[in-house]
Amino acid sequence: MTDNLSNQTNSSWVSVKTRFNLKSLGKPIYPRATEMPPWQHVQTHSHTWGQLAYTSDGVLGVHTPAGKFVIPPDQALWLPPNLPHETFCRYGGHFRSVYIDEKYVKVLGNEAKLLHVNELLKAMILEVCNWPPNYQPDDKKLRFTQVFIDQLECAQTSSFFMPTAQDDRLLPIISELYSNPGCNKTLEQWGEQVGASTRTLNRLFHKSFAMNFSQWKQKLRGLRAVEMIEAGYTQQTISEQLGFESSSAFNTAFKKVFNCTPGQYLKK
């Protein structure tokens, strides 16, 4: 499975099992609204139906064998049936899941992916999650369900994703930087620690992530910054904790990753 984030912070993750244990949905789509406290980890689990995970506020981390997804409020994560996954909520929040019967999942694909949530799709997710679990799937609900699936099918994908490393020499580097993204060790220093040249390490980063070490670290810091922005941290605090020399340096790096400044991101 993926790296255990319990070792990545001074705070202790509270690990719990999933509380949703239906054997089958019994409906085309099934609504579930939950609230997660800070530092909660839901252990690895899977289910025979698909899941769309959405955050109405807060940021959720979902880890699969393929890598790590970060879900901010303008994104939703599609998880196909039978995919092992675990969730991490660093700062708490309110979350909405729509479980989707397997007869609808073919058009959504058999790999996890992040989707952009426009205003229409957001309204539809929230509408479904207002339905009682024992709702009757009458003609109106079935028509709504089909339009909902159509909207998911045509939604654009997002890049809030970090693949799993493919080489053991990268694991000490990745583990340390997930734990402390403000670490400013150079690639040369990392090379001395893991016994590989900078050229070899950059080649391994390209092979695993399709980007070099510097680009990977910038993206990691960007994803962590999104979590901290949504949690209400100031730009000064974020820049200090993520190892930037100044708020302006943080702004510049954030814009390179997300094509907008932190302030513009918040407005969106």
Side-chain angles (χ1 to χ4, degrees), residues 7-25:
N7 298 322
Q8 297 182 14
T9 176
N10 291 329
S11 297
S12 297
W13 289 96
V14 177
S15 188
V16 300
K17 293 182 178 180
T18 179
R19 298 184 179 91
F20 191 78
N21 296 309
L22 285 183
K23 291 185 178 179
S24 65
L25 296 181

Side-chain angles (χ1 to χ4, degrees), residues 59-93:
V59 175
L60 191 66
V62 179
H63 297 187
T64 74
K68 303 171 174 65
F69 294 88
V70 175
I71 315 174
D74 61 343
Q75 316 277 325
L77 176 63
W78 162 245
L79 291 163
N82 303 309
L83 178 70
H85 58 279
E86 55 184 327
T87 61
F88 295 87
C89 183
R90 192 181 301 272
Y91 300 114

Side-chain angles (χ1 to χ4, degrees), residues 6 13 16 22 24-25 28 49 56 64 73 85 112 137 147 153 181 186 189 208 226 240 243 266:
S6 298
W13 289 96
V16 300
L22 285 183
S24 65
L25 296 181
W49 51 81
S56 51
T64 74
H85 58 279
V147 175
E153 185 181 5
T186 64
Q189 291 171 318
S208 292
V226 167
E240 290 173 356
L266 270 177

Side-chain angles (χ1 to χ4, degrees), residues 228-253:
M228 298 180 74
I229 288 170
E230 294 290 344
Y233 286 89
T234 66
Q235 290 189 34
Q236 181 64 34
T237 298
I238 296 172
S239 63
E240 290 173 356
Q241 291 197 15
L242 296 185
F244 292 98
E245 294 181 356
S246 64
S247 294
S248 62
F250 163 61
N251 275 314
T252 300

Side-chain angles (χ1 to χ4, degrees), residues 185-259:
K185 282 184 182 179
T186 64
L187 195 57
E188 289 80 5
Q189 291 171 318
W190 282 118
E192 292 174 3
Q193 181 174 326
V194 302
S197 69
T198 57
R199 183 177 179 180
T200 296
L201 289 179
N202 256 329
R203 178 176 56 79
L204 293 173
F205 268 95
H206 270 290
K207 182 179 178 181
S208 292
F209 307 113
M211 63 185 80
N212 64 31
F213 169 72
S214 178
Q215 293 166 330
W216 179 89
K217 186 169 71 170
Q218 189 174 69
K219 183 172 181 179
L220 172 67
R221 287 177 169 179
L223 295 177
R224 184 62 58 83
V226 167
E227 290 187 74
M228 298 180 74
I229 288 170
E230 294 290 344
Y233 286 89
T234 66
Q235 290 189 34
Q236 181 64 34
T237 298
I238 296 172
S239 63
E240 290 173 356
Q241 291 197 15
L242 296 185
F244 292 98
E245 294 181 356
S246 64
S247 294
S248 62
F250 163 61
N251 275 314
T252 300
F254 189 93
K255 190 171 183 178
K256 285 182 179 178
V257 176
F258 299 115
N259 296 315

